[in-house]
Amino acid sequence: MEGEQGVDLLRVQLRKQRALAGMNQDEFGRRTNYSASTVSAVETGTRAVDLPYARRADEILETGGLFESLLRTAQQDGRPAWFMPWLKAERAARQLRCFHPTLVPGLLQTENYARAVLRFDDTRPEQEIEQQVAVRLERQEILHRDRPPQLVAVIDESVLRRRDAIMAEQLAHLLRMAELPHVHIQIIPASAGLHVGLDGPLLLARLPDGTWLGHLENHLGGDAIGTEDKLATMLARWECVRGVALPEDLSIALIKEVESRHGPQ
């Protein structure tokens, strides 16, 4: 079972079993110690199903571990359940905006860079890491399809100047990607000093109907952001982040300058 289908099945079963138990979303929320809005968001797919939620639902609905089992099955292909709402948006998006204060955004990572990042968690078995690397590379295929989304990526200069051996390859890849007409890369120079983007990564997708979906990640997972007020904050912060970045031509020149310090490929 593919992860996306598994998550959809999990949501269907959550709704079905709640209804069979004679509970509306308000009552189920009270019993599980979640708000009714959270229950609704989980069941409609705007909020990820995490392990605590699945276990609590199993407990209240007396399903014998059904939801935990479905969640773990959905996660086996390297796509964590909390990431599925964003993955759907990413595939459908007309425009993508991404910024990470300390890393190259996932859609622009090389295989070796992605592998190094995923190894930050040294408790993961190698097989799982390789599976997740494959998933990340598969995501990047949207940039090479017939009608790709526009990608605007902002990267902090400090990210470029990591001295890891894999950076020469990664910088060369950024330059190749920047040659694509729909990929726009801008660099925030060190001279910008402190800026709002240092608070954390930003991911935004403009969907075919013109609406936006955001995504915020942390050490434990991530959440899709679809409410108007929170999206307004994310979009405003994005404008601030992009506002301190260099224009594209100067950004590419900076990447080339940093790449030259790594010597010939």
Side-chain angles (χ1 to χ4, degrees), residues 159-205:
V159 175
L160 307 179
R161 296 193 180 276
R162 308 278 185 214
R163 299 308 302 170
D164 304 76
I166 58 173
M167 283 308 300
E169 176 189 51
Q170 178 62 67
L171 291 168
H173 180 67
L174 286 177
L175 291 172
R176 287 193 298 272
M177 293 301 294
E179 293 175 356
L180 298 176
H182 55 281
V183 175
H184 307 274
I185 300 175
Q186 291 180 253
I187 306 299
I188 297 178
S191 60
L194 296 175
H195 56 84
V196 69
L198 296 176
D199 270 348
L202 292 169
L203 288 172
L204 287 156

Side-chain angles (χ1 to χ4, degrees), residues 2-3 8 40 63 68-70 73 89 92 108 114 119 149 154 173 184 206 219 222 231 237-238 245-246:
E2 293 186 0
D8 288 342
S40 175
T63 48
E68 180 176 351
S69 177
L70 288 173
T73 299
L108 296 174
R119 281 179 176 155
V154 178
H173 180 67
H184 307 274
R206 184 169 63 82
H219 285 281
L231 277 172
R237 291 199 169 199
W238 166 262
L246 295 171

Side-chain angles (χ1 to χ4, degrees), residues 110-223:
T110 64
E111 179 178 344
N112 286 327
Y113 190 99
R115 184 175 292 110
V117 170
L118 290 167
R119 281 179 176 155
F120 289 168
D121 181 354
D122 57 9
T123 65
R124 287 177 177 168
E126 193 65 22
Q127 181 180 2
E128 181 180 330
I129 289 173
E130 291 304 316
Q131 193 173 43
Q132 291 180 332
V133 169
V135 167
R136 187 158 301 184
L137 296 179
E138 181 186 348
R139 284 174 54 208
Q140 297 175 3
E141 292 177 4
I142 63 170
L143 298 177
H144 303 284
R145 65 192 184 193
D146 290 340
R147 299 193 66 175
Q150 180 193 63
L151 172 65
V152 183
V154 178
I155 304 173
D156 198 273
E157 181 180 349
S158 62
V159 175
L160 307 179
R161 296 193 180 276
R162 308 278 185 214
R163 299 308 302 170
D164 304 76
I166 58 173
M167 283 308 300
E169 176 189 51
Q170 178 62 67
L171 291 168
H173 180 67
L174 286 177
L175 291 172
R176 287 193 298 272
M177 293 301 294
E179 293 175 356
L180 298 176
H182 55 281
V183 175
H184 307 274
I185 300 175
Q186 291 180 253
I187 306 299
I188 297 178
S191 60
L194 296 175
H195 56 84
V196 69
L198 296 176
D199 270 348
L202 292 169
L203 288 172
L204 287 156
R206 184 169 63 82
L207 303 176
D209 63 0
T211 61
W212 288 90
L213 184 77
H215 184 78
L216 292 176
E217 291 187 19
N218 54 56
H219 285 281
L220 300 179
D223 286 301

Side-chain angles (χ1 to χ4, degrees), residues 47-141:
R47 184 187 188 278
V49 186
D50 57 20
L51 194 55
Y53 189 100
R55 285 175 171 168
R56 187 63 177 150
D58 277 326
E59 180 182 346
I60 296 302
L61 297 173
E62 300 179 352
T63 48
L66 170 66
F67 301 130
E68 180 176 351
S69 177
L70 288 173
L71 178 60
R72 291 191 182 280
T73 299
Q75 293 174 334
Q76 284 178 358
D77 73 343
R79 297 174 173 89
W82 55 261
F83 197 58
M84 299 308 292
W86 173 254
L87 186 60
K88 289 181 180 179
E90 191 176 73
R91 289 172 175 169
R94 294 289 187 264
Q95 184 189 78
L96 293 164
R97 299 176 176 181
C98 56
F99 167 76
H100 199 293
T102 58
L103 296 171
V104 172
L107 288 176
L108 296 174
Q109 292 177 3
T110 64
E111 179 178 344
N112 286 327
Y113 190 99
R115 184 175 292 110
V117 170
L118 290 167
R119 281 179 176 155
F120 289 168
D121 181 354
D122 57 9
T123 65
R124 287 177 177 168
E126 193 65 22
Q127 181 180 2
E128 181 180 330
I129 289 173
E130 291 304 316
Q131 193 173 43
Q132 291 180 332
V133 169
V135 167
R136 187 158 301 184
L137 296 179
E138 181 186 348
R139 284 174 54 208
Q140 297 175 3
E141 292 177 4

